[in-house]
Amino acid sequence: MSAGAGVLFNSLEFALFLPVVLGLYWLLPLRGQNVLLLLASYVFYGAWDARFLSLIFISTLVDFVVGKKLGTVSDDRRRRTWFLASVVCQLGMLAFFKYFGFFVDSAVRLVSWVGLDVHPPLFEVLLPVGISFYTFQTMSYIFDVYRRRIEPTSDFVTFATFVAYFPQLVAGPIERARNLLPQIEDERRRPDGDAVRSGLLLMLVGLFKKVAVADAVAPFVADAFSGDAGRGMLLLGMLAFSLQIYGDFAGYTDIARGASRLFGIELMRNFRQPYLARSITEFWRTWHISLSAWLHDYLYVPLGGNKRGRLATYRNLVLTMLLGGLWHGANWTFVVWGGLHGLLLAGHRLLGGYVPRDKLSPLRWRDAPAILLTFASVTVLWIFFRADSMGAALDYLGGLATRPWGVVDFDAAVIVLFSAAAVLLLDLAQRLTDDDVVILRWPAAVRGASVALLVVAIAVWTGGTAQPFIYFQF
């Protein structure tokens, strides 16, 4: 269970919060700017539930102290002890607040299978918003300091700002210290006019993805996953959720990157048009890039990566994705979703598939079948991600195979197909130019018309209450 709504990117509160913080920010010198960012980040996070602030502060303090110790201690055994103390503390907090109920319920079901009747005491653990994101972010700092890839910071305000930086605090991207910390320390972080324009456009595009795509199709997703819909509406609901999860999460990332750019701080790209991927491996190179890179560097590689033979490589891929699925939530549906992705990745590797981590080859017309097959595979697996339980996921899959077609809601079909066309056109324009703000390159008339269409679409689909982002629950 998580707390109620805080300051949402798509809310009036954020529309007031951001300009106020920006206005104060540019009146201050570097040290004052960082103090302001830290205070603003704590206000932003505390708006969800002030009790959460104690957890993020403890997480920050532990790794600040451990980082300094790792920077001064030379004995490998003592360094390992400090490193393990940090890992146990961070993962311990994450496991308790996110997975306590899951572990207890799973244990009760397990012992019930052997005939034991157990009734553990019932109490509810409140899930802190964004705990998975900031835990992985601060852990990456400790990993890199321990491996001597970066020097630890000696300034607590700088490190605390790195952990709690509000544009990406709640749902990423999961930043690396070697990218974000130097920017927080940089006295020259002054965005020019191009940066401001691109930042504002990114925020507008993100709002469009969230409001005019994700929120627009959300009612049809809810209907498909909660009722006895026919096969036609189940197929439509499956497609709609692919659009919803992408528009919702990529929209959040665009807004986060755009808002951060206004502060002169550049966040990493978290999406590179993943629904244009030509294989499951390429999909995970372009979807939630910060998480897939984290899992690769801090889990897959330590497990042995692809250095210990084929069978070990396949095992490591599946284990990494199983844990990546569990990272998303305390439910067996996420574990199965991650495991199935791991099997697909292993299968692609078995067939000789390889995708460079940092460069995507140009799209060609002959790639269309591979893109459609990858998208179809990802879309089917999203059923496990969206379903409330394994039973519900299997019922949905069974309905796709056995239920009559039924009546397809015409309005729902039009909205979903419109959203799909909008996402496809935007993604193609961005992918072919490798530019998330390609609209700024277009002639003035086309640029103005495009911005106007985005604004009108947002205005049309904006409801009375801002809808939370899906990844806030993780």
Side-chain angles (χ1 to χ4, degrees):
M1 178 181 177
S2 60
V7 181
L8 300 172
F9 279 174
N10 52 328
S11 68
L12 177 61
E13 290 84 358
F14 186 74
L16 298 174
F17 175 81
L18 182 63
V20 170
V21 176
L22 272 172
L24 295 172
Y25 178 84
W26 290 119
L27 294 175
L28 298 170
L30 175 67
R31 181 68 178 179
Q33 288 179 337
N34 287 348
V35 171
L36 175 67
L37 281 180
L38 179 58
L39 292 175
S41 297
Y42 274 31
V43 169
F44 181 86
Y45 193 61
W48 297 90
D49 191 317
R51 292 171 293 179
F52 295 166
L53 292 173
S54 61
L55 291 177
I56 196 171
F57 182 79
I58 292 171
S59 179
T60 301
L61 183 62
V62 167
D63 277 358
F64 176 73
V65 171
V66 172
K68 291 191 69 174
K69 287 293 184 181
L70 291 174
T72 57
V73 173
S74 57
D75 180 73
D76 286 344
R77 182 175 296 179
R78 290 181 61 198
R79 295 184 86 250
R80 189 179 302 112
T81 299
W82 280 106
F83 169 74
L84 290 175
S86 167
V87 171
V88 169
C89 178
Q90 301 294 353
L91 291 183
M93 288 195 296
L94 180 62
F96 177 76
F97 285 98
K98 188 166 184 175
Y99 302 108
F100 177 82
F102 173 70
F103 292 147
V104 170
D105 290 344
S106 297
V108 169
R109 291 179 185 179
L110 180 63
V111 298
S112 69
W113 289 344
V114 296
L116 297 177
D117 189 17
V118 178
H119 299 282
L122 297 177
F123 67 95
E124 200 166 24
V125 178
L126 195 67
L127 176 62
V129 175
I131 188 172
S132 298
F133 287 91
Y134 72 71
T135 298
F136 269 30
Q137 181 154 311
T138 188
M139 284 182 65
S140 73
Y141 167 80
I142 289 300
F143 269 103
D144 287 348
V145 172
Y146 176 69
R147 294 171 174 177
R148 294 188 171 93
R149 293 180 176 176
I150 61 172
E151 292 294 323
T153 181
S154 59
D155 187 287
F156 181 76
V157 170
T158 297
F159 182 70
T161 304
F162 157 74
V163 175
Y165 185 48
F166 76 85
Q168 48 86 224
L169 169 61
V170 178
I174 304 167
E175 276 291 348
R176 302 295 179 86
R178 56 180 175 264
N179 174 51
L180 188 52
L181 268 178
Q183 296 186 77
I184 294 174
E185 297 169 337
D186 191 356
E187 297 180 0
R188 299 164 297 173
R189 57 181 191 216
R190 296 277 172 177
D192 56 19
D194 289 341
V196 171
R197 283 189 290 273
S198 64
L200 291 173
L201 180 61
L202 267 178
M203 294 181 70
L204 183 65
V205 170
L207 280 171
F208 170 80
K209 290 177 180 177
K210 167 60 177 169
V211 175
V213 175
D215 292 352
V217 303
F220 314 125
V221 175
D223 289 344
F225 278 85
S226 63
D228 297 322
R231 189 185 304 178
M233 287 304 294
L234 290 177
L235 285 169
L236 191 68
M238 185 173 65
L239 172 60
F241 184 67
S242 273
L243 297 171
Q244 183 190 11
I245 190 72
Y246 179 42
D248 197 280
F249 194 19
Y252 177 94
T253 298
D254 286 343
I255 299 170
R257 293 180 63 218
S260 184
R261 197 168 286 179
L262 301 180
F263 292 99
I265 296 174
E266 189 68 25
L267 298 177
M268 68 176 292
R269 291 175 72 175
N270 212 18
F271 292 88
R272 294 184 68 185
Q273 298 78 50
Y275 286 163
L276 296 177
R278 291 157 287 195
S279 68
I280 195 66
T281 303
E282 188 172 286
F283 174 80
W284 279 106
R285 296 286 191 270
T286 53
W287 173 277
H288 203 345
I289 298 169
S290 62
L291 176 63
S292 60
W294 198 102
L295 293 171
H296 176 272
D297 293 349
Y298 304 120
L299 187 56
Y300 177 70
V301 170
L303 284 172
N306 56 1
K307 304 299 184 183
R308 299 179 182 174
R310 287 190 174 185
L311 289 179
T313 298
Y314 305 148
R315 177 204 65 196
N316 295 340
L317 284 169
V318 173
L319 284 176
T320 298
M321 293 308 298
L322 278 170
L323 292 172
L326 185 60
W327 176 89
H328 283 83
N331 196 317
W332 285 109
T333 55
F334 294 116
V335 177
V336 171
W337 172 79
L340 291 173
H341 269 281
L343 290 173
L344 288 180
L345 287 169
H348 185 240
R349 179 68 66 97
L350 177 64
L351 295 174
Y354 173 75
V355 177
R357 293 196 64 82
D358 300 321
K359 187 175 182 180
L360 296 176
S361 58
L363 290 177
R364 298 157 296 184
W365 282 109
R366 65 186 184 188
D367 293 327
I371 291 172
L372 289 173
L373 178 60
T374 302
F375 176 74
S377 301
V378 169
T379 296
V380 170
L381 294 189
W382 280 134
I383 292 173
F384 291 95
F385 194 95
R386 174 59 176 79
D388 295 329
S389 65
M390 281 299 301
L394 296 175
D395 285 347
Y396 200 103
L397 289 169
L400 287 171
T402 62
R403 290 182 191 175
W405 279 96
V407 177
V408 176
D409 185 290
F410 178 78
D411 292 340
V414 168
I415 292 171
V416 171
L417 293 177
F418 169 82
S419 298
V423 167
L424 177 61
L425 291 174
L426 183 59
D427 275 11
L428 280 172
Q430 292 175 334
R431 176 64 182 276
L432 293 174
T433 58
D434 195 26
D435 185 356
D436 288 344
V437 290
V438 62
I439 293 174
L440 293 177
R441 297 190 192 182
W442 296 347
V446 179
R447 184 170 66 245
S450 300
V451 170
L453 283 173
L454 293 175
V455 172
V456 169
I458 293 168
V460 167
W461 290 108
T462 298
T465 303
Q467 299 301 310
F469 290 82
I470 294 174
Y471 264 71
F472 281 13
Q473 65 186 291
F474 307 135

